[in-house]
Amino acid sequence: MQFARYKIKRLSAVTRTMSLCPSLSLSLSLSLSLSLPLDAAAAWLGFRIAPELERNAEEINSRAPLGNFTESALDEELFSDEYVKSESELEPEDAALGRVKRSVPEFLQSADARSEEQRKTSGLRVDGQSKRAEVRWNRDDEHDSRPDEPKLTSSTFALAGDSAHNHAVVYWTGKNSSVILILTKLYDFHLGSVTESTLWRSTDYGSTYERLNDKVGVKTVLSYLYVCPTNKRKIMVLTDPEFESSVLISTDEGASYQKYRLNFFVLSLLFHHTQEDWALAYSHDQKLYSSFDFGRKWQLVIHSQSHLISISHTIILFLSLLTTDCQYVTCRAQACSESSRTYPFSGYIETNSLVVQDEYVFVQVTTTGRASYYVSYQREPFVRIKIPKYSLPKDMHIVSTDQGQVFTAVQEWNQNDTYNLYISDTRGIYFTLALENVRTSRGLGGNSMIDLYEVAGIEGMLIANRKVENQVKTYITYNKGRDWRLLQAPTTDLAGNTIHCVLPFCSLHLQLQMSENPYLSGSISTKSSAPGVIVATGNIGSELSYNNVAMFISSDAGNNWRQIFEEEHNVWFLDKGGALVAVKQPTVPTRHLWISFDEGRQWTRHSFSAMPLFVDGVLVEAGAENQIMTFFGHFSHRSEWQLIKIDYKPIFTRRCTEGDYQTWHLHNQGEPCIMGQKQIYMKRRPGNYCMVGWDNSRILSAEPCICRAHDFECDYGFERRGDGNCLPAFWFNPSTLSRSCSQGQNYLNSTGYRKVVANNCTKGVKEMYTARKQQCPNRPPRGLVLTTHDDKLTANMGSNVTFLVRLEEGDSMRTNIQLDFGDGTAVSYSNLSWTQEGIRHVYHSAGIFRVTALAENSLGFDMSSLHLHVTCPVEHIQLLAPYVVIKNKEVNLTAVVWPSHFRTLTYFWWLGNNTEPIITLDSSISHTFSTEGMVTVTVQVSSGDSILQDTRSIAIQEFFKSLLLSFSPNLDEANPDIPEWRQDVGRVIQKAVADIPEEQLLVAVFPGIPTAAELFLLPPRNQSDGRKRTEEDLEQISEILVNALNQISVEFELKPGSRVIVYTTQLTLAPLVDSIPRHSSSAMLMLLSVVFLGLAVFLIYKFKRYIHANRFYFTYSFFTRTRAIELHSFHAHHSSSFCLSIYKDEI
């Protein structure tokens, strides 16, 4: 879930996205008090076009600002590539960059991407002809304004010496200030960094500028400039981290600066909205810093990875990243220690899902591949958002939180390029469908762009582009999405020719793209100080097209439209919305602008420059009491940046008086009741050349209307049918009551309708449609749900597990809750109110536990259960297997893990050359090997997301003979008791035994101390003399070897001066072991050995607390298999539990 870029009101909903940590991005709304150059009136001075690209301007695609700049400054800026000579000389990315044209709105890029079928022209007829009129009004062919008309006053200033700089940002320091700051930079696209910068300052609204490099440092390279939102005289400038990490601070509107060194690199800054000296900084290494003296001193707030969201009053909101998990954390700015932090949302959330906007906080949680969304209204506890049950969202965006409710765009499971628009109640919990299949596209920065526009100045009025039967059409609503209709096309074109366009087959369609550059108007413009006036780019036909577009205007809130230009223009509002100024799109240079005082009916042309200018941005109304515009651009791709200050005050003859205004009644196709009231506005009479000078948006009167059906929308769980009535959806049970409804209390029983939020109607059908208050009945519990707080079914032994119990129906205050944890403990609560924070439990043993919840009252009961896997993390695995086994005889293979687990692990056995493993839940298997030779056995144990393994090599023989060996004590002093050491010692012993081929010897050194081993005598690989002769040979070799060992003639050198003597302990019980059954007295001896071993193990376990030794070793022999057992006692500090592990080596 994101709060991304949308075509909603310019300031309140357009957001900046910055990547603050790996795989995590943060969306911040401009309506927050951020350190945005927008408050500083930052204008983008865009890309410069190479000469060959200028000549083909119509074929150039607009592109997004570079990501590393948008990430760092929260403002989107355009760059130019002065180094581009031809696209053929560039890498693919650079070539795409070279195709950028200056500040072109997104719809031009979209047009290039559209298919011819999507671009087809539809239904526009002029005088019966299926084509546009031949008469074209080219305003540039007309003369300038009449000689007796007032002229604009303009002055031009060139930023001399900055012709090489390809990037510039303009900052106006604030209301009633004449100071403008400009930061120009040379961005090297090959190096990917800024190499030069210049800071300019004007104190006369842009008439002249002073170069400030000597005040900030001639060699200092600046990256970004921030103006304090609460005190515009305070300015903070950051140096480029490629050169140094410093901050320059000014308290006199940029006239002088003091430099302070930083020990971290700033990625983003955020200012408090009331405390002018409070700021937060997010560093490149994902740490959070705070300053309470406007950046002079910084202190580390949080050491771990974090993700800054916002600062409100004295509270910092940020995300704390714990490896792959993410938590929502709040703390006080001046005391953000671990103990003072709070966690408003109890569980982990998805990265990049936290949205803080106005009174709402949103988070997303994903479990088993499905997303759930939660909202906190006015910082109250989080509640799960209720959207229609089977919408199953793939993606969700918070569009707007204006007017006391939430607009959200949801891409459902069956949608690809469209979203459904939902609208909530006041608390942002219950959502109902407002409009299906709203068109969406990708913005220049990669963000989702929803074709939805909220008209400024008129509450409840929205315009959207909806996809209907593969055609995109423009719809308008006056009651927050309750009802939508198509736009009526103009009756005549610009030349006065009749347009034959009949609804619903033909209508007006508008492009709803907001400009990526906030100082170009985009394809649609409205202003709260000019209610009812809408200026937009669009086309007339059966669907939205990007061919044959024109400019249209409505003066009565979308009821009637007129064409004002045949070409695309940028249009701004002047004089508090009392006048309009238009400039051609910046694809070609111009020196004229157009001004209208009658809402676009008549336009006068004025020259603002002696030479044609590529307009990169316009700063309108830089002060409250002055009438000044500033144009930013350049004359050619090699010229310096040009700043043209225009004073349009001379075009006004006087200030407006009461007689210059008239009333205007807001209506929807003649219906005067809009959002439950009749509204009358004051407007300047068309053609009066007087200065408004005050906010023109005030409502003269607002009279409540009688409530009617269109003042109510369908309530949650209800859907509007063809007859207009709201009936329950198939998945919704209207008789379901909230569990908080207790006997003796009252609840609101929905009628299927709810009043549109902010609708002011009274009486009428209000009582009929409003939810009715009824008494809560006593009900049996139904819909009991038991989960863990993180929806996981695994937990580590010794850790806290929080269980959540939720009851869909029933009296929560009179329903008992019992919870059995499955390990012999249980708890009981008299009602659900005691379980709201969750029920915590600690498991002291590993295993799979069945946890059961029981809800019961006098009318019935309900149960729910889950199976929880509690594990102790596996740290070690050891495969126990004999070194030599008899062919065609079953052998046991055992995997021992520490700490021990009971049926909570999965074992994968790879035997020999098998391509598929044997998978078991038991730690041992039996297997028969049918082929002689050496085989490799590997066992893997899977525990959670980790896998450990151990491997052993086994010799498969028909018969063999073995001896038990011991060693002189000095070997124990060098025994580290690790597998690698035992393997190396075994190879040394093999070499120490002379006159016996190495392929017939196998030595296995047992784990533990004292060091012991077993030597195996194997038959030769080619038994040409027959089995009987081979057995005799092995017997003879055994006797020779025993004699040598008894004579202490077998030894090896462990290290210089230290020789180890090898002794024989005894022969194995069977002279030779094979597959032939034998019966002898050795069987009785074997049985006694097993009995004595079992008795010894029992005694050790019984009296282990009195034994001070940590290890005990036993060896026993069963035919030719011996086993060494080692007991370790592992003590867990600060815990009442411990893990007991038995290590075994089977030979």
Side-chain angles (χ1 to χ4, degrees), residues 6-7 105-108 110-111 114 439 441 449-453 465 510-516 521-525 537 544 546:
Y6 300 94
K7 278 69 83 175
E106 181 191 324
F107 57 81
L108 290 182
S110 304
R114 291 174 173 267
R439 178 182 177 269
S441 60
M449 306 286 289
I450 310 298
D451 270 15
L452 177 69
Y453 186 84
N465 284 328
L510 305 180
Q511 299 175 11
L512 303 181
Q513 284 84 0
M514 291 291 292
S515 173
E516 293 287 330
S521 64
S523 60
I524 184 168
S525 298
T537 303
L544 180 67
Y546 290 83

Side-chain angles (χ1 to χ4, degrees), residues 48 156-165 182 184 196-201 207-213 633 635 638-643:
R48 300 189 177 186
T156 303
F157 187 89
L159 302 184
D162 278 0
S163 60
H165 289 194
I182 299 178
T184 65
E196 295 179 15
S197 69
T198 303
L199 183 61
W200 300 82
R201 183 173 184 262
S207 295
T208 59
Y209 288 85
E210 176 189 4
R211 191 184 186 112
L212 300 182
N213 279 31
F635 296 134
R638 296 186 180 276
S639 69
E640 291 89 357
W641 296 104
Q642 306 294 324
L643 294 100

Side-chain angles (χ1 to χ4, degrees), residues 390-395 410-420 422 436-437:
Y390 294 108
S391 64
L392 304 177
K394 296 190 297 184
D395 191 22
V410 176
Q411 187 174 55
E412 302 188 7
W413 63 274
N414 57 350
Q415 293 178 309
N416 294 316
D417 58 350
T418 61
Y419 281 68
N420 286 350
Y422 288 89
E436 289 184 298
N437 296 321

